Amino acid sequence: MSTLLLRFFCFQRSPRMTKQLLHTSSLACAVEKELLAKLRKQTGFSIGNCKKALEMHQNDIAKAEAWLQAEAQSKGWEKATKLSGRQTSQGLIGIHIEGKTAAMVEVNCETDFVSRNDKFKQLVTQAAKECWKGNTLNEDVILAKEIFSSEQVKTITTEDGKTLGDVLALAIGNIGENMGLPRATRVSAGHDISLVGYCHPSTIDQDTNTGKFGAILAVKTNNSISQVAKQLCVHVIGMNPRAIGSPDDPKAENPEEESLLIHQEFLSDPTRTVAQVLDDEKMEVIDFIRYETGEVNVGAAAK
């Protein structure tokens, strides 16, 4: 109908005015296409959904984006509820260390295929960074360790005002698998304590912040942190000690069954014990945390 009216109007006007009107009409269409492209780039939603949002809100891009996000969140929670009974035995560990605070989080999914998905890795990285925030260490405390349950992790608020539970539900809606946030730990160190972290699989020099395993060590040393500290993280992941131990603690009769860190053969150099390595490096392990994907297997994701 609008096309017919335009033709009729053009027929009644001069050729010069007709050209001007057609130019103006083409420009209006071009502006709408630019808005559509901009909205799709900003949100990542399909062209069809972006077009629908712009049409509903008279090309107001801010309102259109808000509507798209609300719809996606609603559908995400709906899908999360439907999939909540599925087991989530796969996933990744994420670590974020900055300054004197470190955080480690576990994010689960159903399949190894999804755990290798870049969007899932971004989710794990974001969760670790959000858990890292909120350090409340007293200056007189040498080391503080906060352990978060699944429900506590999901209530952590992100920069844009959403909770990690909201972010998880949105990821479930987008990726299509059940997911979980079973646990997280945040460690804050005093001025003479250093924090070191490592995720496996990766090489020590890659410094990857996600993996199937993760370890954070709090160490005390007068020297600068060397590669040995990272190797100790690898050791904790590989040997899974139950405690640090002390020189007075008895050793296991079979070295392969040793569960105390300082009595274990050093994984990077089995000719020495961890105690000997620490002595050579003038280093002391104050505490360590080790995560393995699937240790806490929670089927429910975002309730």
Side-chain angles (χ1 to χ4, degrees), residues 50-84:
C50 290
K51 185 178 179 182
K52 180 181 178 181
L54 286 169
E55 288 172 349
M56 288 178 64
H57 297 91
Q58 291 75 50
N59 288 328
D60 187 321
I61 195 166
K63 289 182 179 179
E65 182 176 356
W67 180 82
L68 283 169
Q69 295 291 355
E71 282 290 295
Q73 189 67 68
S74 175
K75 290 178 180 178
W77 276 109
E78 183 181 343
K79 195 155 193 175
T81 302
K82 288 180 180 179
L83 301 180
S84 62

mmCIF file of all heavy atoms in Angstrom, residues 50-84:
data_model
loop_
_atom_site.group_PDB
_atom_site.id
_atom_site.type_symbol
_atom_site.label_atom_id
_atom_site.label_comp_id
_atom_site.label_asym_id
_atom_site.label_seq_id
_atom_site.Cartn_x
_atom_site.Cartn_y
_atom_site.Cartn_z
ATOM 1 N N CYS A 50 16.567 -9.944 15.776
ATOM 2 C CA CYS A 50 16.937 -8.527 15.861
ATOM 3 C C CYS A 50 15.946 -7.659 15.077
ATOM 4 O O CYS A 50 15.555 -6.575 15.540
ATOM 5 C CB CYS A 50 18.355 -8.316 15.334
ATOM 6 S SG CYS A 50 19.646 -8.989 16.407
ATOM 7 N N LYS A 51 15.550 -8.147 13.905
ATOM 8 C CA LYS A 51 14.584 -7.412 13.096
ATOM 9 C C LYS A 51 13.250 -7.299 13.817
ATOM 10 O O LYS A 51 12.619 -6.220 13.851
ATOM 11 C CB LYS A 51 14.400 -8.113 11.750
ATOM 12 C CG LYS A 51 13.490 -7.353 10.793
ATOM 13 C CD LYS A 51 13.390 -8.090 9.456
ATOM 14 C CE LYS A 51 12.463 -7.322 8.514
ATOM 15 N NZ LYS A 51 12.311 -8.034 7.221
ATOM 16 N N LYS A 52 12.824 -8.392 14.435
ATOM 17 C CA LYS A 52 11.567 -8.395 15.182
ATOM 18 C C LYS A 52 11.619 -7.402 16.343
ATOM 19 O O LYS A 52 10.666 -6.648 16.581
ATOM 20 C CB LYS A 52 11.293 -9.803 15.717
ATOM 21 C CG LYS A 52 10.004 -9.920 16.520
ATOM 22 C CD LYS A 52 9.812 -11.344 17.026
ATOM 23 C CE LYS A 52 8.545 -11.455 17.876
ATOM 24 N NZ LYS A 52 8.374 -12.839 18.399
ATOM 25 N N ALA A 53 12.742 -7.371 17.027
ATOM 26 C CA ALA A 53 12.900 -6.468 18.172
ATOM 27 C C ALA A 53 12.848 -5.010 17.738
ATOM 28 O O ALA A 53 12.219 -4.171 18.392
ATOM 29 C CB ALA A 53 14.221 -6.758 18.884
ATOM 30 N N LEU A 54 13.505 -4.682 16.612
ATOM 31 C CA LEU A 54 13.499 -3.307 16.111
ATOM 32 C C LEU A 54 12.102 -2.885 15.635
ATOM 33 O O LEU A 54 11.672 -1.751 15.861
ATOM 34 C CB LEU A 54 14.500 -3.159 14.970
ATOM 35 C CG LEU A 54 15.982 -3.150 15.378
ATOM 36 C CD1 LEU A 54 16.877 -3.282 14.156
ATOM 37 C CD2 LEU A 54 16.325 -1.885 16.163
ATOM 38 N N GLU A 55 11.405 -3.816 14.993
ATOM 39 C CA GLU A 55 10.045 -3.514 14.535
ATOM 40 C C GLU A 55 9.110 -3.270 15.712
ATOM 41 O O GLU A 55 8.274 -2.362 15.681
ATOM 42 C CB GLU A 55 9.512 -4.666 13.682
ATOM 43 C CG GLU A 55 10.164 -4.768 12.306
ATOM 44 C CD GLU A 55 9.747 -6.024 11.569
ATOM 45 O OE1 GLU A 55 9.116 -6.915 12.193
ATOM 46 O OE2 GLU A 55 10.052 -6.130 10.360
ATOM 47 N N MET A 56 9.259 -4.069 16.767
ATOM 48 C CA MET A 56 8.399 -3.927 17.941
ATOM 49 C C MET A 56 8.645 -2.617 18.685
ATOM 50 O O MET A 56 7.740 -2.085 19.343
ATOM 51 C CB MET A 56 8.631 -5.097 18.906
ATOM 52 C CG MET A 56 8.081 -6.424 18.430
ATOM 53 S SD MET A 56 8.464 -7.744 19.606
ATOM 54 C CE MET A 56 7.556 -7.201 21.061
ATOM 55 N N HIS A 57 9.865 -2.095 18.575
ATOM 56 C CA HIS A 57 10.228 -0.908 19.360
ATOM 57 C C HIS A 57 10.575 0.292 18.470
ATOM 58 O O HIS A 57 11.332 1.174 18.880
ATOM 59 C CB HIS A 57 11.387 -1.251 20.295
ATOM 60 C CG HIS A 57 11.041 -2.303 21.306
ATOM 61 N ND1 HIS A 57 11.238 -3.645 21.059
ATOM 62 C CD2 HIS A 57 10.478 -2.212 22.543
ATOM 63 C CE1 HIS A 57 10.821 -4.345 22.100
ATOM 64 N NE2 HIS A 57 10.365 -3.509 23.009
ATOM 65 N N GLN A 58 9.992 0.321 17.270
ATOM 66 C CA GLN A 58 10.120 1.466 16.361
ATOM 67 C C GLN A 58 11.579 1.917 16.183
ATOM 68 O O GLN A 58 11.914 3.095 16.298
ATOM 69 C CB GLN A 58 9.280 2.656 16.839
ATOM 70 C CG GLN A 58 7.774 2.447 16.736
ATOM 71 C CD GLN A 58 7.250 1.512 17.825
ATOM 72 O OE1 GLN A 58 7.555 1.703 19.004
ATOM 73 N NE2 GLN A 58 6.472 0.526 17.440
ATOM 74 N N ASN A 59 12.450 0.936 15.953
ATOM 75 C CA ASN A 59 13.874 1.186 15.692
ATOM 76 C C ASN A 59 14.634 1.826 16.862
ATOM 77 O O ASN A 59 15.707 2.397 16.669
ATOM 78 C CB ASN A 59 14.062 2.047 14.444
ATOM 79 C CG ASN A 59 13.753 1.281 13.162
ATOM 80 O OD1 ASN A 59 13.973 0.084 13.084
ATOM 81 N ND2 ASN A 59 13.226 1.977 12.174
ATOM 82 N N ASP A 60 14.066 1.713 18.059
ATOM 83 C CA ASP A 60 14.797 2.153 19.264
ATOM 84 C C ASP A 60 15.740 1.018 19.656
ATOM 85 O O ASP A 60 15.311 0.015 20.231
ATOM 86 C CB ASP A 60 13.816 2.461 20.401
ATOM 87 C CG ASP A 60 14.501 3.078 21.607
ATOM 88 O OD1 ASP A 60 15.630 2.635 21.934
ATOM 89 O OD2 ASP A 60 13.923 3.978 22.239
ATOM 90 N N ILE A 61 17.023 1.171 19.335
ATOM 91 C CA ILE A 61 17.976 0.065 19.497
ATOM 92 C C ILE A 61 18.181 -0.318 20.963
ATOM 93 O O ILE A 61 18.381 -1.482 21.292
ATOM 94 C CB ILE A 61 19.323 0.406 18.821
ATOM 95 C CG1 ILE A 61 20.177 -0.865 18.674
ATOM 96 C CG2 ILE A 61 20.071 1.506 19.569
ATOM 97 C CD1 ILE A 61 21.351 -0.702 17.738
ATOM 98 N N ALA A 62 18.109 0.647 21.869
ATOM 99 C CA ALA A 62 18.289 0.352 23.295
ATOM 100 C C ALA A 62 17.146 -0.510 23.817
ATOM 101 O O ALA A 62 17.366 -1.507 24.530
ATOM 102 C CB ALA A 62 18.389 1.644 24.093
ATOM 103 N N LYS A 63 15.921 -0.134 23.456
ATOM 104 C CA LYS A 63 14.754 -0.911 23.896
ATOM 105 C C LYS A 63 14.743 -2.293 23.235
ATOM 106 O O LYS A 63 14.359 -3.287 23.856
ATOM 107 C CB LYS A 63 13.465 -0.151 23.574
ATOM 108 C CG LYS A 63 13.250 1.082 24.434
ATOM 109 C CD LYS A 63 11.930 1.761 24.078
ATOM 110 C CE LYS A 63 11.697 2.994 24.964
ATOM 111 N NZ LYS A 63 10.427 3.674 24.604
ATOM 112 N N ALA A 64 15.158 -2.335 21.968
ATOM 113 C CA ALA A 64 15.197 -3.607 21.249
ATOM 114 C C ALA A 64 16.189 -4.568 21.893
ATOM 115 O O ALA A 64 15.904 -5.756 22.077
ATOM 116 C CB ALA A 64 15.581 -3.365 19.791
ATOM 117 N N GLU A 65 17.356 -4.063 22.258
ATOM 118 C CA GLU A 65 18.359 -4.907 22.910
ATOM 119 C C GLU A 65 17.878 -5.394 24.272
ATOM 120 O O GLU A 65 18.072 -6.557 24.633
ATOM 121 C CB GLU A 65 19.676 -4.149 23.067
ATOM 122 C CG GLU A 65 20.774 -4.989 23.689
ATOM 123 C CD GLU A 65 22.111 -4.283 23.764
ATOM 124 O OE1 GLU A 65 22.221 -3.142 23.263
ATOM 125 O OE2 GLU A 65 23.051 -4.883 24.320
ATOM 126 N N ALA A 66 17.257 -4.500 25.041
ATOM 127 C CA ALA A 66 16.739 -4.889 26.359
ATOM 128 C C ALA A 66 15.698 -5.995 26.222
ATOM 129 O O ALA A 66 15.681 -6.953 27.010
ATOM 130 C CB ALA A 66 16.143 -3.676 27.063
ATOM 131 N N TRP A 67 14.853 -5.881 25.206
ATOM 132 C CA TRP A 67 13.821 -6.895 24.988
ATOM 133 C C TRP A 67 14.451 -8.236 24.598
ATOM 134 O O TRP A 67 14.049 -9.292 25.115
ATOM 135 C CB TRP A 67 12.867 -6.432 23.880
ATOM 136 C CG TRP A 67 11.775 -7.415 23.582
ATOM 137 C CD1 TRP A 67 10.598 -7.582 24.261
ATOM 138 C CD2 TRP A 67 11.767 -8.395 22.527
ATOM 139 N NE1 TRP A 67 9.864 -8.599 23.701
ATOM 140 C CE2 TRP A 67 10.552 -9.113 22.633
ATOM 141 C CE3 TRP A 67 12.661 -8.715 21.516
ATOM 142 C CZ2 TRP A 67 10.224 -10.136 21.756
ATOM 143 C CZ3 TRP A 67 12.325 -9.742 20.645
ATOM 144 C CH2 TRP A 67 11.114 -10.435 20.760
ATOM 145 N N LEU A 68 15.449 -8.199 23.722
ATOM 146 C CA LEU A 68 16.136 -9.431 23.305
ATOM 147 C C LEU A 68 16.793 -10.127 24.492
ATOM 148 O O LEU A 68 16.696 -11.353 24.640
ATOM 149 C CB LEU A 68 17.194 -9.098 22.242
ATOM 150 C CG LEU A 68 16.698 -8.831 20.824
ATOM 151 C CD1 LEU A 68 17.817 -8.263 19.974
ATOM 152 C CD2 LEU A 68 16.136 -10.101 20.191
ATOM 153 N N GLN A 69 17.457 -9.358 25.340
ATOM 154 C CA GLN A 69 18.133 -9.938 26.505
ATOM 155 C C GLN A 69 17.128 -10.552 27.468
ATOM 156 O O GLN A 69 17.358 -11.636 28.019
ATOM 157 C CB GLN A 69 18.973 -8.869 27.222
ATOM 158 C CG GLN A 69 20.135 -8.314 26.411
ATOM 159 C CD GLN A 69 21.248 -9.312 26.180
ATOM 160 O OE1 GLN A 69 21.228 -10.427 26.691
ATOM 161 N NE2 GLN A 69 22.245 -8.909 25.398
ATOM 162 N N ALA A 70 16.009 -9.863 27.685
ATOM 163 C CA ALA A 70 14.982 -10.379 28.590
ATOM 164 C C ALA A 70 14.372 -11.675 28.052
ATOM 165 O O ALA A 70 14.135 -12.632 28.808
ATOM 166 C CB ALA A 70 13.892 -9.326 28.792
ATOM 167 N N GLU A 71 14.115 -11.708 26.731
ATOM 168 C CA GLU A 71 13.571 -12.915 26.112
ATOM 169 C C GLU A 71 14.545 -14.080 26.222
ATOM 170 O O GLU A 71 14.164 -15.205 26.554
ATOM 171 C CB GLU A 71 13.262 -12.641 24.632
ATOM 172 C CG GLU A 71 11.992 -11.872 24.390
ATOM 173 C CD GLU A 71 10.763 -12.695 24.703
ATOM 174 O OE1 GLU A 71 10.517 -13.696 24.018
ATOM 175 O OE2 GLU A 71 10.048 -12.346 25.668
ATOM 176 N N ALA A 72 15.817 -13.797 25.943
ATOM 177 C CA ALA A 72 16.838 -14.848 26.013
ATOM 178 C C ALA A 72 16.976 -15.375 27.433
ATOM 179 O O ALA A 72 17.112 -16.584 27.655
ATOM 180 C CB ALA A 72 18.177 -14.309 25.518
ATOM 181 N N GLN A 73 16.946 -14.470 28.421
ATOM 182 C CA GLN A 73 17.073 -14.892 29.816
ATOM 183 C C GLN A 73 15.893 -15.758 30.232
ATOM 184 O O GLN A 73 16.041 -16.789 30.886
ATOM 185 C CB GLN A 73 17.156 -13.665 30.732
ATOM 186 C CG GLN A 73 17.515 -13.999 32.180
ATOM 187 C CD GLN A 73 18.926 -14.537 32.298
ATOM 188 O OE1 GLN A 73 19.889 -13.841 32.101
ATOM 189 N NE2 GLN A 73 19.043 -15.815 32.618
ATOM 190 N N SER A 74 14.695 -15.342 29.824
ATOM 191 C CA SER A 74 13.487 -16.096 30.159
ATOM 192 C C SER A 74 13.523 -17.498 29.560
ATOM 193 O O SER A 74 13.242 -18.489 30.238
ATOM 194 C CB SER A 74 12.261 -15.333 29.649
ATOM 195 O OG SER A 74 11.083 -16.095 29.866
ATOM 196 N N LYS A 75 13.916 -17.573 28.276
ATOM 197 C CA LYS A 75 13.997 -18.883 27.619
ATOM 198 C C LYS A 75 15.129 -19.718 28.205
ATOM 199 O O LYS A 75 15.036 -20.943 28.268
ATOM 200 C CB LYS A 75 14.191 -18.692 26.114
ATOM 201 C CG LYS A 75 12.951 -18.131 25.424
ATOM 202 C CD LYS A 75 13.180 -17.903 23.938
ATOM 203 C CE LYS A 75 11.924 -17.332 23.285
ATOM 204 N NZ LYS A 75 12.121 -17.058 21.842
ATOM 205 N N GLY A 76 16.197 -19.030 28.633
ATOM 206 C CA GLY A 76 17.312 -19.748 29.261
ATOM 207 C C GLY A 76 16.892 -20.424 30.551
ATOM 208 O O GLY A 76 17.193 -21.595 30.787
ATOM 209 N N TRP A 77 16.188 -19.687 31.419
ATOM 210 C CA TRP A 77 15.704 -20.277 32.677
ATOM 211 C C TRP A 77 14.714 -21.409 32.410
ATOM 212 O O TRP A 77 14.725 -22.438 33.098
ATOM 213 C CB TRP A 77 15.049 -19.196 33.530
ATOM 214 C CG TRP A 77 16.020 -18.413 34.351
ATOM 215 C CD1 TRP A 77 16.398 -17.115 34.178
ATOM 216 C CD2 TRP A 77 16.779 -18.887 35.466
ATOM 217 N NE1 TRP A 77 17.331 -16.753 35.114
ATOM 218 C CE2 TRP A 77 17.578 -17.808 35.926
ATOM 219 C CE3 TRP A 77 16.852 -20.106 36.128
ATOM 220 C CZ2 TRP A 77 18.447 -17.930 37.007
ATOM 221 C CZ3 TRP A 77 17.715 -20.234 37.213
ATOM 222 C CH2 TRP A 77 18.499 -19.158 37.643
ATOM 223 N N GLU A 78 13.880 -21.228 31.383
ATOM 224 C CA GLU A 78 12.905 -22.266 31.038
ATOM 225 C C GLU A 78 13.616 -23.546 30.608
ATOM 226 O O GLU A 78 13.260 -24.652 31.038
ATOM 227 C CB GLU A 78 12.001 -21.754 29.913
ATOM 228 C CG GLU A 78 10.894 -22.715 29.512
ATOM 229 C CD GLU A 78 10.031 -22.170 28.381
ATOM 230 O OE1 GLU A 78 10.080 -20.952 28.127
ATOM 231 O OE2 GLU A 78 9.322 -22.970 27.753
ATOM 232 N N LYS A 79 14.637 -23.393 29.772
ATOM 233 C CA LYS A 79 15.380 -24.563 29.303
ATOM 234 C C LYS A 79 16.191 -25.184 30.438
ATOM 235 O O LYS A 79 16.314 -26.406 30.551
ATOM 236 C CB LYS A 79 16.315 -24.160 28.160
ATOM 237 C CG LYS A 79 16.857 -25.352 27.386
ATOM 238 C CD LYS A 79 17.245 -24.952 25.986
ATOM 239 C CE LYS A 79 17.470 -26.174 25.118
ATOM 240 N NZ LYS A 79 17.737 -25.815 23.715
ATOM 241 N N ALA A 80 16.761 -24.313 31.314
ATOM 242 C CA ALA A 80 17.543 -24.810 32.452
ATOM 243 C C ALA A 80 16.679 -25.682 33.356
ATOM 244 O O ALA A 80 17.127 -26.706 33.874
ATOM 245 C CB ALA A 80 18.130 -23.640 33.228
ATOM 246 N N THR A 81 15.424 -25.273 33.543
ATOM 247 C CA THR A 81 14.506 -26.050 34.381
ATOM 248 C C THR A 81 14.204 -27.403 33.745
ATOM 249 O O THR A 81 14.176 -28.439 34.420
ATOM 250 C CB THR A 81 13.200 -25.265 34.592
ATOM 251 O OG1 THR A 81 13.508 -24.005 35.200
ATOM 252 C CG2 THR A 81 12.242 -26.021 35.494
ATOM 253 N N LYS A 82 14.003 -27.405 32.423
ATOM 254 C CA LYS A 82 13.694 -28.651 31.721
ATOM 255 C C LYS A 82 14.866 -29.636 31.768
ATOM 256 O O LYS A 82 14.671 -30.848 31.856
ATOM 257 C CB LYS A 82 13.343 -28.357 30.265
ATOM 258 C CG LYS A 82 11.992 -27.683 30.073
ATOM 259 C CD LYS A 82 11.723 -27.437 28.599
ATOM 260 C CE LYS A 82 10.372 -26.765 28.390
ATOM 261 N NZ LYS A 82 10.105 -26.491 26.950
ATOM 262 N N LEU A 83 16.097 -29.106 31.698
ATOM 263 C CA LEU A 83 17.280 -29.979 31.621
ATOM 264 C C LEU A 83 17.904 -30.270 32.981
ATOM 265 O O LEU A 83 18.906 -30.981 33.066
ATOM 266 C CB LEU A 83 18.342 -29.311 30.726
ATOM 267 C CG LEU A 83 17.946 -29.005 29.282
ATOM 268 C CD1 LEU A 83 19.117 -28.351 28.551
ATOM 269 C CD2 LEU A 83 17.506 -30.261 28.548
ATOM 270 N N SER A 84 17.331 -29.747 34.045
ATOM 271 C CA SER A 84 17.994 -29.792 35.354
ATOM 272 C C SER A 84 18.228 -31.199 35.896
ATOM 273 O O SER A 84 19.079 -31.399 36.757
ATOM 274 C CB SER A 84 17.183 -28.990 36.376
ATOM 275 O OG SER A 84 15.895 -29.555 36.542
#
